[in-house]
Amino acid sequence: LESMGATRAFLVWSVDGVPLAESEGPFRIIVTTDREKARCIYNVTRLDIVDMRHVVTPAGTGKTPV
C-alpha cells in the first residue's frame, strides 16, 4: 500500500554468519526504515504474509480485518 511508504524489513537468522542467540531467535525481524533504530521483533517463529490489495472487508463494518 502506498500509505505505508517505502518500508524495508528483513527476516534475520544470523549476524556476521553466526546464528542468533537462543534468546533472540530462531528468527528476528528488523525494519531498517523505522525511525526508532532500536526497535525490532525477536523470537519470530511464524510469519504470515498478507496481500492487503486482496483483503475483503467484513460486510457492514467498514473496517479492514487485522
Side-chain angles (χ1 to χ4, degrees):
L1 297 174
E2 287 183 32
S3 63
M4 294 186 73
T7 301
R8 289 187 316 220
F10 295 91
L11 181 65
V12 177
W13 55 90
S14 67
V15 176
D16 295 329
V18 178
L20 293 175
E22 190 173 320
S23 62
E24 295 182 6
F27 299 101
R28 181 174 166 188
I29 295 176
I30 299 172
V31 180
T32 59
T33 53
D34 192 344
R35 293 180 187 192
E36 287 291 329
K37 299 295 184 186
R39 284 194 292 215
C40 62
I41 302 171
Y42 292 95
N43 294 306
V44 175
T45 58
R46 178 180 166 169
L47 179 66
D48 294 323
I49 306 297
V50 177
D51 185 344
M52 294 301 289
R53 296 172 295 184
H54 303 287
V55 172
V56 178
T57 302
T61 65
K63 296 181 180 179
T64 302
V66 177

